[in-house]
Amino acid sequence: FTIPHTSRHSQVSFEHYQPEPRLESSLQSTVESRSGNARSQSISTRQLAMQALTAPPANKKKALENFSPISRLESSPQFLNLEDQRDKSFARHLVSTTMRRMGQIDCILNHVCDVYPPRGKGKQSLILQAALRLGVAQLMFLDTPAFAAVMETVDVLKKTTIGKGQGNGKSDNKVAGKGERKVMPKQLVSFCNAVLRRVDRERDDLLEMTNPRDNVSSFLQKEFIQAYGSDLTNKVIEQLMDETAHQNVDLSLNTSGLKSEKERQVFADEMAEVFSDGHSDREDMGFESIIKLPNGSLRIKKGSNNGSISKWPKYDSGVWWVQDVSSTLPALALISSLRSIHGEENFEKLNVVDMCAAPGGKTAQLLSSGFHVTAIEANARRCRRLLENLDRLQLGEKCDVVVKYGQEWTPDADMKVAGILVDVPCSATGTGNRRPDVLQKDEDLGNLLDTQEKLAHHCAENVLEAGAVMVYATCSLLPKESEDQIKRLLQKGHVEISPFLPGEIPGFDDAIDENGFLRVLP
């Protein structure tokens, strides 16, 4: 089974296919044009945010229900069709802030509402709850003027329609192709208006009642405190709540063909200068700042006129890709270890494996360094994205992509694996700033722990050659997914620790713990 892709070079083997559910919204919206005519094609950013925050119906497939509100937003055709990048940014900011501050928002609404979550028939209560949460997020945690936060949110709720048979209001409204639909009852719209106005009047006192810890599940709070202590936990949560982090975009540079550190530094200086010029071939743009980071990345602070990332300087040339600094560390660790063993001049002779490879940032790092890479990914759709990224970066020639569960893959008899990067599936709690839904994780981690253990042990026992290097990595703040898994792996006796050394990962010496592990906190 093969999936069409644009790369002419990557060798691809598809052995498992996991189709993704199509995301659909059960809400409809009509927005009045200046002439007073309803345009079903148009939709406000607040309506998009409300749709994303309203959970899918219970009879939808479980896979669909598990999509985060941010994923639902970004998968919406109406969101993708927004022409103005500022509208997309605002819609995304609305949803992410509401999710990030959900605990505090619900604490406030519990205080000001006699009954919360609000009552209503069918989806009425879910829609009303989403509107209340959006309104409070704007009043408390965004710079939205109070009149706009209240009026626009209430207006969106008033114009929201629900499927036939739900709702008490009588309406002759028709939405093309959908038959009769019901408007939200006036009493619920009035209730939303009253609640948001009260929150605006009492905002200082209400905010004082809350704590940033309210936004993190009791399970995660307990785990964090046990691992890091109360004071450090508070600092971690404070950082996870930091809205300004989204103003920065980290870029990894494609240094393929550059053989020396001096050449790489010169190239980084040149790219920093390109962004400092503030323009691309297609439009003028100004970035607030460009910083060279110790790991070799560029940190771009976005301005108000940067537009889509695909329009940034040199995007089509494939000389950089977006990758958070912390995401670069596992590949940097593997590169550093193999450099000390084999010498950088021999990288082109070495085979390395990237387990759970999509979307391909770490794969690109390894390819850019000169290795021949086998990228293993269980999800065919994510593999398509990986291939598209490698094609843009012109790095596919020395990459074999295999769609298969990592714990089932073994190298061919004539393939010697010098190193393997095992970035296992995890709770992703370390990404809570960008994916705030993960902060509500409970103690049920599903089969993640079992998958992590099986994958790590399989790689150590069935993939690595004697003397080869494995880097085990997660984006989790939970020791049970990280340090504890490593300790279980060591007990089997197949591997031994190669501790991180000061200076090995520039800028991260303070993250090396007493075991020689690299533990990076937000």
Side-chain angles (χ1 to χ4, degrees):
F1 177 81
T2 60
I3 293 179
H5 61 89
T6 55
S7 174
R8 295 189 299 269
H9 304 296
S10 301
Q11 300 299 312
V12 191
S13 171
F14 288 92
E15 302 189 21
H16 292 278
Y17 174 56
Q18 298 175 340
E20 293 292 328
R22 181 180 178 182
L23 296 182
E24 297 177 349
S25 173
S26 61
L27 303 181
Q28 298 292 323
S29 172
T30 57
V31 179
E32 298 294 326
S33 67
R34 292 180 180 177
S35 63
N37 296 324
R39 295 178 290 115
S40 61
Q41 295 86 355
S42 300
I43 187 165
S44 74
T45 52
R46 287 178 175 84
Q47 181 67 37
L48 283 171
M50 191 182 299
Q51 289 183 357
L53 290 166
T54 305
N59 61 351
K60 293 285 185 181
K61 291 181 180 180
K62 187 173 183 180
L64 178 57
E65 294 174 15
N66 286 340
F67 269 83
S68 72
I70 295 175
S71 296
R72 287 199 290 269
L73 173 71
E74 294 178 341
S75 299
S76 164
Q78 293 163 313
F79 174 82
L80 296 173
N81 289 334
L82 289 175
E83 295 183 359
D84 194 327
Q85 186 65 29
R86 290 171 296 183
D87 287 342
K88 286 186 176 182
S89 297
F90 181 60
R92 190 183 290 109
H93 196 35
L94 272 176
V95 175
S96 63
T97 301
T98 303
M99 292 300 299
R100 184 175 297 107
R101 298 285 182 172
M102 187 76 78
Q104 289 175 281
I105 290 170
D106 282 350
C107 179
I108 290 169
L109 289 170
N110 265 307
H111 181 77
V112 300
C113 298
D114 291 336
V115 177
Y116 185 81
R119 293 171 181 168
K121 287 189 176 181
K123 289 187 66 70
Q124 288 177 6
S125 61
L126 292 175
I127 297 169
L128 177 57
Q129 184 179 38
L132 290 170
R133 284 170 165 173
L134 279 174
V136 174
Q138 293 170 80
L139 289 169
M140 292 294 193
F141 304 110
L142 297 173
D143 295 328
T144 310
F147 73 89
V150 176
M151 183 179 68
E152 295 290 341
T153 302
V154 171
D155 192 52
V156 165
L157 182 63
K158 187 186 303 181
K159 293 176 180 176
T160 297
T161 58
I162 314 171
K164 184 176 181 180
Q166 295 177 329
N168 297 323
K170 294 183 178 180
S171 172
D172 293 328
N173 289 351
K174 299 283 184 179
V175 177
K178 295 295 182 181
E180 184 180 359
R181 306 186 72 88
K182 304 292 186 179
V183 297
M184 286 292 288
K186 289 183 179 179
Q187 63 267 30
L188 296 186
V189 175
S190 298
F191 174 76
C192 179
N193 181 61
V195 168
L196 294 183
R197 290 185 181 278
R198 179 182 173 184
V199 171
D200 180 37
R201 291 193 303 269
E202 304 175 16
R203 67 169 70 189
D204 292 339
D205 291 338
L206 291 171
L207 190 60
E208 188 69 24
M209 295 169 42
T210 70
N211 188 301
R213 279 196 185 187
D214 297 336
N215 305 303
V216 180
S217 70
S218 57
F219 163 71
L220 289 182
Q221 287 188 48
K222 180 180 177 181
E223 293 287 317
F224 292 168
I225 292 172
Q226 183 177 344
Y228 310 116
S230 183
D231 290 343
L232 190 51
T233 293
N234 287 336
K235 292 180 181 179
V236 167
I237 293 176
E238 181 181 350
Q239 182 63 28
L240 292 172
M241 296 297 112
D242 182 13
E243 297 284 347
T244 64
H246 299 278
Q247 298 174 10
N248 298 320
V249 176
D250 299 335
L251 305 182
S252 290
L253 300 181
N254 186 349
T255 58
S256 179
L258 303 182
K259 300 299 184 182
S260 69
E261 183 61 27
K262 182 178 180 180
E263 288 179 299
R264 290 188 283 268
Q265 288 297 327
V266 169
F267 178 62
D269 291 336
E270 291 174 350
M271 286 304 302
E273 186 65 27
V274 167
F275 277 87
S276 297
D277 287 344
H279 65 82
S280 71
D281 296 337
R282 280 166 283 187
E283 62 179 55
D284 292 333
M285 53 183 66
F287 300 94
E288 291 193 16
S289 65
I290 299 93
I291 302 173
K292 284 176 57 181
L293 299 177
N295 72 319
S297 298
L298 293 183
R299 172 158 290 175
I300 311 295
K301 186 174 183 180
K302 295 184 291 185
S304 59
N305 192 40
N306 300 152
S308 171
I309 285 178
S310 63
K311 296 181 180 179
W312 285 14
K314 302 294 183 181
Y315 175 86
D316 290 334
S317 300
V319 297
W320 56 263
W321 63 92
V322 176
Q323 186 179 21
D324 285 349
V325 166
S326 57
S327 297
T328 70
L329 304 185
L332 290 178
L334 185 57
I335 293 167
S336 173
S337 293
L338 295 178
R339 180 185 294 115
S340 65
I341 297 172
H342 301 279
E344 189 167 343
E345 66 277 8
N346 293 309
F347 279 3
E348 293 184 356
K349 305 174 185 177
L350 301 180
N351 294 308
V352 297
V353 176
D354 185 9
M355 284 286 182
C356 312
K362 291 179 282 294
T363 303
Q365 283 180 272
L366 297 171
L367 290 166
S368 181
S369 295
F371 299 108
H372 184 284
V373 180
T374 300
I376 314 297
E377 172 58 49
N379 187 291
R381 181 187 62 85
R382 286 169 58 82
C383 258
R384 183 188 289 113
R385 183 181 175 193
L386 185 154
L387 289 164
E388 290 171 350
N389 289 336
L390 295 184
D391 187 56
R392 180 179 69 83
L393 299 171
Q394 302 176 47
L395 289 174
E397 186 175 358
K398 294 185 67 176
C399 185
D400 297 332
V401 179
V402 179
V403 181
K404 191 172 186 178
Y405 293 108
Q407 56 268 42
E408 297 177 1
W409 180 85
T410 54
D412 294 336
D414 59 347
M415 178 182 178
K416 295 186 180 300
V417 177
I420 183 167
L421 198 165
V422 189
D423 190 357
V424 297
C426 68
S427 65
T429 45
T431 68
N433 189 281
R434 296 188 184 276
R435 294 180 53 192
D437 54 291
V438 304
L439 300 179
Q440 297 304 315
K441 294 278 187 182
D442 59 25
E443 60 187 2
D444 181 14
L445 296 178
N447 62 354
L448 282 176
L449 297 178
D450 183 59
T451 298
Q452 293 159 6
E453 184 172 358
K454 287 181 178 177
L455 190 55
H457 287 246
H458 169 72
C459 291
E461 298 170 15
N462 303 313
V463 178
L464 285 182
E465 297 286 328
V469 178
M470 180 171 80
V471 173
Y472 177 92
T474 73
C475 52
S476 171
L477 297 175
L478 302 178
K480 64 176 60 180
E481 297 187 275
S482 308
E483 291 91 340
D484 294 352
Q485 292 284 25
I486 295 172
K487 291 172 183 176
R488 274 192 288 274
L489 183 61
L490 291 173
Q491 291 172 358
K492 288 290 188 78
H494 296 290
V495 295
E496 60 184 21
I497 286 294
S498 176
F500 283 92
L501 302 175
E504 185 174 359
I505 308 295
F508 286 87
D509 284 358
D510 291 342
I512 302 175
D513 69 11
E514 67 276 6
N515 298 307
F517 303 160
L518 198 70
R519 164 53 79 183
V520 180
L521 298 176

